[in-house]
Amino acid sequence: ITDTATLSNGYAPTGTITFKAYSDDTCTTEVFSDTVTVDSGNGNYTSAAYTTTAAGTIYWIASYSGDSNNDPVSGKCGDANESSVVQKKQPVISTTPTLLPNDSATLSAGFGTLTGDISFALYDTPDCTGDAIYEEGPMTVDGNGPYMTTNTSVFITVDGTYSWEVEYTGDGNNKAVSSTCTAERYVVDITPDPVIPAGLTL
């Protein structure tokens, strides 16, 4: 992100403009500074680009140094149009279809080292409604990558449609995301089909 300042009403101004960026609305925590030379008189001057490291709002203040013909002038913290809103990144969650014994999911495209939690839930409905029949989590997230349950028991004993849902809470720099229920939907047929002995009819 960059900031642009406009000099006007000056008498052939020279000197410099210093751009400072702050991560708080009181402009006490400076995160970036850049000084440009005023070499074209009145007009627009733009800072170098600042690469943000966290979501939130960046507040800019531009200050003109003045010269022998022009007084110095500075903006103030919170001036209109002098803030840049940095949105959270939207990570992606993908699942590996596995009904039993464990489910796995991979977080990717997150900003920085993802934190927060991830949770797994198995439902005996096709749309992940009602109470889960098995849950695991929250597990601590420590970056992009795969996460897996640690189930050691078999707990499906009746026919039906079963669905996994995986949810990531998000963190200060990343939005929450969950898998779609249809991504891991399984029709289970445990009851054996009847067998008709040869020579008999029903």
Side-chain angles (χ1 to χ4, degrees):
I1 55 178
T2 61
D3 189 30
T4 298
T6 301
L7 278 179
S8 60
N9 298 323
Y11 179 78
T14 57
T16 61
I17 296 177
T18 298
F19 297 88
K20 292 190 175 185
Y22 301 84
S23 61
D24 60 291
D25 59 7
T26 58
C27 296
T28 55
T29 305
E30 182 180 319
V31 293
F32 176 76
S33 179
D34 181 50
T35 299
V36 299
T37 300
V38 176
D39 53 10
S40 301
N42 293 307
N44 294 333
Y45 295 87
T46 300
S47 70
Y50 165 57
T51 300
T52 60
T53 58
T57 302
I58 300 297
Y59 298 86
W60 293 91
I61 297 178
S63 302
Y64 169 57
S65 65
D67 60 19
S68 58
N69 294 312
N70 298 278
D71 289 330
V73 64
S74 177
K76 300 184 299 297
C77 186
D79 280 348
N81 303 316
E82 279 292 83
S83 60
S84 303
V85 178
V86 182
Q87 302 289 350
K88 290 185 178 184
K89 186 75 179 291
Q90 179 61 74
V92 175
I93 190 168
S94 58
T95 55
T96 301
T98 305
L99 178 57
L100 291 174
N102 288 296
D103 190 33
S104 64
T106 299
L107 287 172
S108 61
F111 178 81
T113 301
L114 275 73
T115 58
D117 299 311
I118 191 169
S119 299
F120 295 79
L122 179 63
Y123 297 85
D124 58 358
T125 58
D127 53 0
C128 297
T129 56
D131 295 330
I133 63 171
Y134 177 77
E135 294 179 284
E136 189 165 336
M139 304 175 187
T140 299
V141 169
D142 58 2
N144 290 303
Y147 296 86
M148 179 178 287
T149 61
T150 58
N151 173 48
T152 59
S153 62
V154 177
F155 45 81
I156 292 180
T157 59
V158 297
D159 296 349
T161 300
Y162 295 82
S163 308
W164 280 102
E165 187 174 54
V166 188
E167 295 184 337
Y168 167 59
T169 60
D171 60 21
N173 292 317
N174 296 279
K175 296 180 180 180
V177 64
S178 62
S179 65
T180 59
C181 190
T182 57
E184 290 193 276
R185 181 183 292 167
Y186 309 89
V187 177
V188 176
D189 184 6
I190 296 176
T191 305
D193 294 330
V195 175
I196 301 174
L200 297 178
T201 59
L202 293 178

